[in-house]
Amino acid sequence: MDVEVNTEYCDRIKNNIIGYEPIVKQLAQCREQILQEKPATIFSVGGGCDIEIAPLSYLNRESKGDMTVLWFDAHGDLNTPETSTTQAFHGMPLRTLLGEGDEKILSYAFSVLSPAQIVMLGTRDLDDPEAAYIHEQNITVLKTEDIEAKIDDVMNVIQSKGSQNIYVHIDLDALDPVAFPHVPVPPPGGLTVTTLSTLLKELHEKLNIIGLCLVEYQPSEKKTIKILEEIIHMGIML
């Protein structure tokens, strides 16, 4: 299914969110399509992380919260409209999914996540309020160097959550921009392409993935990029 996306830049600010009205409209369309399709699994491809609100919250509802969310992202996406310095909604979706943010946008979510469901991976560029929230809520964060050191330990942390189902959010800026520069906001550091590829294969082979989302790809001149092909194939196989 396709959700019609506004391709014209909207700089109008409402409720401390840039482009508020197109965001709400697109979210409403996405929610309605999911309600019509009632999918058991979802593979989403989009521009920004804010496309996660409807599909992720839907699968969380359908699994009755028995779902661990793996949030591969250089950024926290944990701001609220009040804490954000940019007022860009793509920096707020995870906090929204955790039940805090704009009331109208929250009303389109199918359910609310708990902090215990989250594992953040490749995160390295946090605003102070986001770092404070992670500390206060005791959200699991796996540092890039620890992921690179031993993937078995990463799998152990994920499996220790005890969920029967896994949702994988992949913002491509989780990757090292030296190896993968095709993203809009590439902070230094990050996972190697090989490590992400290996970890995704482990997840696919050993765990029950019910949702996958791929975002923040900035088109390049390359006709094919292996890691993108792998992620897309994984999504299609859900």
Side-chain angles (χ1 to χ4, degrees):
M1 63 184 185
D2 296 320
V3 175
E4 184 180 347
V5 176
N6 178 43
T7 57
E8 295 181 5
Y9 178 69
C10 177
D11 60 1
R12 290 191 298 275
I13 298 172
K14 183 178 179 180
N15 298 350
N16 291 321
I17 296 173
I18 298 172
Y20 179 83
E21 291 175 354
I23 289 169
V24 170
K25 181 180 178 181
Q26 289 159 196
L27 177 54
Q29 291 175 357
C30 185
R31 178 186 169 89
E32 183 60 31
Q33 290 198 34
I34 289 173
L35 284 172
Q36 291 177 10
E37 297 286 338
K38 296 181 173 61
T41 61
I42 298 177
F43 172 42
S44 305
V45 178
C49 299
D50 47 312
I51 72 165
E52 287 284 30
I53 304 302
L56 199 160
S57 66
Y58 168 80
L59 290 176
N60 184 57
R61 187 191 73 176
E62 293 303 290
S63 66
K64 297 180 173 58
D66 188 7
M67 184 177 81
T68 293
V69 177
L70 308 183
W71 198 267
F72 287 90
D73 201 315
H75 308 96
D77 299 343
L78 285 167
N79 273 303
T80 65
E82 291 71 37
T83 66
S84 174
T85 58
T86 65
Q87 298 177 309
F89 188 61
H90 61 77
M92 308 179 199
L94 187 53
R95 188 68 168 268
T96 303
L97 286 160
L98 286 160
E100 296 183 52
D102 178 76
E103 288 186 8
K104 188 168 185 178
I105 290 175
L106 284 168
S107 73
Y108 287 108
F110 291 94
S111 66
V112 174
L113 296 172
S114 72
Q117 289 178 264
I118 309 297
V119 178
M120 303 181 74
L121 306 98
T123 309
R124 57 194 187 276
D125 189 6
L126 295 170
D127 294 334
D128 289 342
E130 294 180 301
Y133 181 80
I134 288 170
H135 178 73
E136 290 164 5
Q137 300 297 325
N138 197 29
I139 294 175
T140 302
V141 179
L142 298 179
K143 295 181 179 179
T144 299
E145 55 267 31
D146 296 331
I147 301 170
E148 294 287 343
K150 197 170 183 181
I151 286 178
D152 285 349
D153 288 348
V154 177
M155 292 297 294
N156 289 337
V157 170
I158 295 168
Q159 290 172 311
S160 72
K161 292 287 185 179
S163 301
Q164 293 296 311
N165 307 292
I166 299 293
Y167 188 102
V168 184
H169 164 88
I170 303 174
D171 182 328
L172 291 163
D173 64 21
L175 291 167
D176 185 338
V178 174
F180 192 94
H182 318 297
V183 294
V185 187
L191 300 170
T192 64
V193 172
T194 299
T195 295
L196 179 60
S197 176
T198 302
L199 182 51
L200 290 176
K201 287 174 184 175
E202 286 280 303
L203 293 169
H204 180 67
E205 291 172 2
K206 297 180 179 179
L207 301 174
N208 182 40
I209 299 174
I210 60 173
L212 174 65
C213 181
L214 175 64
V215 295
E216 297 289 346
Y217 173 60
Q218 185 165 282
S220 71
E221 295 178 356
K222 292 188 177 182
K223 292 183 179 180
T224 61
I225 299 177
K226 189 169 183 283
I227 186 63
L228 292 183
E229 291 180 332
E230 291 175 0
I231 295 169
I232 291 168
H233 178 72
M234 183 177 169
I236 292 170
M237 295 299 290
L238 292 183

